[in-house]
């Protein structure tokens, strides 16, 4: 079995799905506009590899606290259709299609909540997706997370747990990401590709012989 691992934000799509979701919620008057300022401040640390993921998830999950998953689903589907599918990189679609045509197992893994990652993956025709797991209490989202964050080294931990549960052992693995935060995942793969990487990540890619991809929307 050959495995193709894709990051989501700024790799498959020209944007950040969690940030875009908050903007969508504000537009729908389901979140206060102040949340966008707070989220932007936290995101600035993400690009430096030092985000407080716990604080970020607490902030960004607040608008869906007490929502039942089945009630949120139509809203997420609308968001994916309006805000996500139009910004998918054409080259990303082509690469996904290529891996699927080769019979490779494709998985999208993201440091975004699973309530967004899984529906986005389905909309892209990808069956398998890993996101930050959300806690439910008495059938409703609690606003808290559970388990290991699929972030930095946690992405590799969650991937290995998923492979074990699926009873899969890849004979060859590919990984695609734009982010320095995904170095553990890129280093794990047999064939790594950096998508629209910054100068630091591009330098690492050149030193290690990784593929450099420049995808345009």
């Amino acid at each position: 079995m050959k495995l193709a691992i894709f990051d989501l934000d700024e790799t498959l799509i020209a944007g950040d799905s969690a940030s875009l979701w908050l903007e969508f919620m504000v537009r729908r008057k389901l979140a206060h506009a102040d949340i966008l300022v707070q989220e932007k401040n936290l995101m600035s640390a993400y690009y430096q590899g030092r985000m407080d993921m716990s604080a970020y998830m607490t902030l960004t999950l607040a608008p869906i606290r007490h929502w039942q998953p089945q009630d949120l689903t139509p809203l997420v589907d609308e968001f994916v259709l309006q805000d996500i599918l139009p910004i998918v990189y054409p080259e990303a679609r082509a690469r996904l299609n290529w891996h699927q045509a080769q019979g490779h197992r494709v998985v999208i893994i993201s440091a975004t909540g699973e309530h967004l990652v899984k529906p986005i993956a389905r909309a892209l025709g990808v069956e398998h997706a890993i996101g930050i797991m959300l806690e439910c209490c008495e059938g409703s989202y609690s606003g808290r997370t559970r388990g290991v964050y699929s972030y930095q080294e946690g992405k590799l931990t969650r991937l290995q747990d998923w492979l074990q549960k699926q009873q899969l052992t890849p004979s060859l693995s590919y990984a695609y990401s734009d982010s320095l935060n995904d170095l553990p995942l890129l280093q794990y793969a047999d064939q790594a590709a950096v998508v629209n990487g910054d100068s630091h990540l591009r330098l690492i890619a050149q030193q290690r012989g990784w593929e450099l991809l420049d995808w345009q929307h």
Side-chain angles (χ1 to χ4, degrees), residues 34-53:
D34 287 351
I35 199 170
L36 300 179
V37 177
Q38 298 175 63
E39 192 262 353
K40 185 177 180 180
N41 290 337
L42 287 170
M43 277 299 290
S44 65
Y46 171 83
Y47 296 110
Q48 300 167 32
R50 54 181 184 82
M51 173 186 271
D52 182 344
M53 186 56 76

Side-chain angles (χ1 to χ4, degrees), residues 11-24:
T11 299
L12 292 173
I13 63 173
D16 183 272
S17 57
S19 301
L20 292 168
W21 167 249
L22 289 184
E23 292 174 12
F24 173 83

Side-chain angles (χ1 to χ4, degrees), residues 1-4 104 169-174 190-191:
M1 187 274 296
K2 295 181 180 179
L3 180 68
H104 300 169
T169 303
S171 59
L172 181 69
S173 59
Y174 303 80
D190 298 301
Q191 296 189 28

Side-chain angles (χ1 to χ4, degrees), residues 17-39 42 54-69 71-73 75-76 115-116 134 140-144:
S17 57
S19 301
L20 292 168
W21 167 249
L22 289 184
E23 292 174 12
F24 173 83
M25 292 290 278
V26 168
R27 288 201 311 271
R28 293 295 301 269
K29 302 190 185 307
L30 296 170
H32 195 278
D34 287 351
I35 199 170
L36 300 179
V37 177
Q38 298 175 63
E39 192 262 353
L42 287 170
S54 178
Y56 184 83
M57 294 306 296
T58 298
L59 173 72
T60 58
L61 292 179
I64 66 167
R65 190 180 176 195
H66 305 312
W67 280 71
Q68 294 186 340
D71 294 333
L72 193 66
T73 294
L75 204 61
V76 173
H115 63 303
L116 300 178
L134 273 54
S140 299
Y141 290 122
S142 68
R144 296 185 293 270

Side-chain angles (χ1 to χ4, degrees), residues 3-13 89 91-100 104-111 117 121 124 126 128-131 150 155 159 173-178 182 185-186 189 191 193 195 211 213 215:
L3 180 68
I5 311 154
F6 287 84
D7 174 46
L8 172 60
D9 301 315
E10 309 289 356
T11 299
L12 292 173
I13 63 173
Y89 289 118
E91 296 96 333
R93 283 190 183 277
R95 192 61 67 105
L96 284 171
N97 291 340
W98 182 82
H99 281 291
Q100 290 170 329
H104 300 169
R105 191 70 58 95
V106 177
V107 59
I108 294 173
I109 180 166
S110 172
V117 178
L124 292 173
V126 176
H128 305 289
I130 299 168
S150 44
K155 273 197 178 181
L159 175 68
S173 59
Y174 303 80
Y176 300 83
S177 178
D178 71 295
D182 285 341
L185 200 63
L186 292 167
Q191 296 189 28
V195 179
E211 187 177 8
L213 300 170
W215 290 351

